[in-house]
Amino acid sequence: MSKIVVFTEEGFRGRTAEFKNNVCNLEEKGFSDVISSLKVIGAPWVAYYDKNFAGKQRVFQEGEYATLDDKGMFSSLKIITDDLDNPEIQLFEDVNYQGRSGCQETCLHDITFSDVASSHKVKGGVWVLYEHVNRQGAQLVSFPGDEVPSYFPLSFNDVASHVHPLLPKP
C-alpha cells in the first residue's frame, strides 16, 4: 500500500498525518503550509504549493526526507498512479510545439537544449522537468497525455536544464 507520512517538524517530529489518497486541500486536514519532513512508501507523490493541485510542485519518490528545502510550502498532495512504463516526452524549443525538439531523459545541457524549452507533449509516463542540472531547482511535473503549449504561464519558459521520467519499481 502506497502512502505519504508528513510531519510538522524536521527530522520526523511534531504533529504527523498519514495519507493514502490525494489531498486537494491540506488546510482541511490541519497540515497546510506546515510540512517540514516526510516519508514516502510505495508510489511517488507530488506536493503542490497551492490547494487543488496547483502552483509550484515537487516530486517525492519512495524514501525519507528529514529536511525539506521548501518546508512549510505545501497545500495539496497527489499520489502518482499513472503507468510509468514506456515513458516518452517531446520537448520543443518554441511555444506551440514549434522549433527544434528532443525527447529523452537527459541533462539538457549535454544536448545543447538547456534553458531553451518552451513547450512539450507527454506521450507516456510521468516526467519531471528541472530548473537546474542534476535534478535540482524548481520542478514541473507532467502526466501522460499532457500537452503544454507554453511555459510562460507557468513561469518555466527557457529554464529547464534536466528532464527525467519517473520509472516503475523493478
Side-chain angles (χ1 to χ4, degrees), residues 9 15 29 31 38 44-45 62 75 77 79 85 97-98 104-105 120 131 137-138 140 154-155 164 167 169:
E9 296 178 25
R15 285 188 307 116
K29 308 288 185 185
F31 278 86
L38 58 86
W45 286 74
E62 187 167 44
S75 295
L77 300 169
I79 188 170
D85 291 320
Y97 321 114
Q98 300 296 309
Q104 63 188 30
E105 176 191 359
H120 73 257
E131 178 182 16
L140 176 62
L154 308 172
S155 300
H164 166 70
L167 299 174
K169 295 196 86 54

Side-chain angles (χ1 to χ4, degrees), residues 4-170:
I4 188 168
V5 182
V6 298
F7 302 84
T8 57
E9 296 178 25
E10 292 181 344
F12 315 114
R13 295 183 319 226
R15 285 188 307 116
T16 185
E18 180 179 295
F19 301 107
K20 296 178 182 174
N21 297 301
N22 295 343
V23 182
C24 64
N25 185 354
L26 282 165
E27 185 175 22
E28 293 173 351
K29 308 288 185 185
F31 278 86
S32 184
D33 299 329
V34 297
I35 297 171
S36 295
S37 58
L38 58 86
K39 296 178 183 181
V40 173
I41 295 125
W45 286 74
V46 181
Y48 295 85
Y49 280 35
D50 299 330
K51 62 184 176 179
N52 298 317
F53 318 117
K56 290 184 179 183
Q57 50 207 240
R58 182 157 172 219
V59 169
F60 294 97
Q61 294 185 322
E62 187 167 44
E64 297 185 352
Y65 302 83
T67 303
L68 304 175
D69 293 336
D70 39 10
K71 65 183 174 188
M73 301 298 293
F74 304 127
S75 295
S76 55
L77 300 169
K78 184 178 192 177
I79 188 170
I80 295 178
T81 58
D82 300 277
D83 182 4
L84 301 179
D85 291 320
N86 304 312
E88 186 178 348
I89 189 170
Q90 189 168 13
L91 299 173
F92 296 89
E93 186 173 23
D94 300 322
V95 298
N96 297 317
Y97 321 114
Q98 300 296 309
R100 188 169 52 117
S101 69
C103 57
Q104 63 188 30
E105 176 191 359
T106 188
C107 169
L108 296 175
H109 179 75
D110 294 345
I111 59 169
T112 62
F113 212 79
S114 184
D115 299 334
V116 299
S118 297
S119 58
H120 73 257
K121 295 180 180 181
V122 176
K123 297 179 181 180
V126 175
W127 289 81
V128 184
L129 285 76
Y130 297 87
E131 178 182 16
H132 303 302
V133 296
N134 299 321
R135 302 181 190 170
Q136 299 296 313
Q139 300 176 4
L140 176 62
V141 183
S142 211
F143 297 88
D146 280 358
E147 294 188 359
V148 181
S150 174
Y151 293 165
F152 282 105
L154 308 172
S155 300
F156 215 76
N157 193 62
D158 294 342
V159 301
S161 294
H162 195 104
V163 62
H164 166 70
L166 297 180
L167 299 174
K169 295 196 86 54

